[in-house]
């Protein structure tokens, strides 16, 4: 069975290119490709995006029931 993503999703988009930092202040966790392996999510591998250099819009912030 073939399904078009547009028929089952409300929003489809690429992420943003993060500005990585080690500073936990004014930052947000980034789930990148290396965090998702073998159908599992490893949150130990997240990195931090510096919100002062690259803001993240609400639509690009992971919400409950989102699909990665």
């Amino acid at each position: 069975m073939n399904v078009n993503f547009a028929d089952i999703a409300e929003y489809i988009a690429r992420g943003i290119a993060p500005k990585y930092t080690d500073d936990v202040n004014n930052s947000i966790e980034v789930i990148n490709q290396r965090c998702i392996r073998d159908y599992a999510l490893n949150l130990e591998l997240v990195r931090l995006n510096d919100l002062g250099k690259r803001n993240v819009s609400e639509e690009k912030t992971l919400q409950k029931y989102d699909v990665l």
Side-chain angles (χ1 to χ4, degrees), residues 4-38:
N4 186 335
F5 282 127
D7 294 335
I8 60 172
E10 293 178 16
Y11 182 78
I12 301 171
R14 291 180 51 94
I16 62 168
K19 297 293 185 184
Y20 290 122
T21 182
D22 292 324
D23 185 4
V24 296
N25 299 311
N26 198 35
S27 62
I28 190 170
E29 292 178 326
V30 175
I31 298 172
N32 57 30
Q33 295 139 332
R34 71 183 191 152
C35 295
I36 305 169
R37 292 285 186 252
D38 300 320

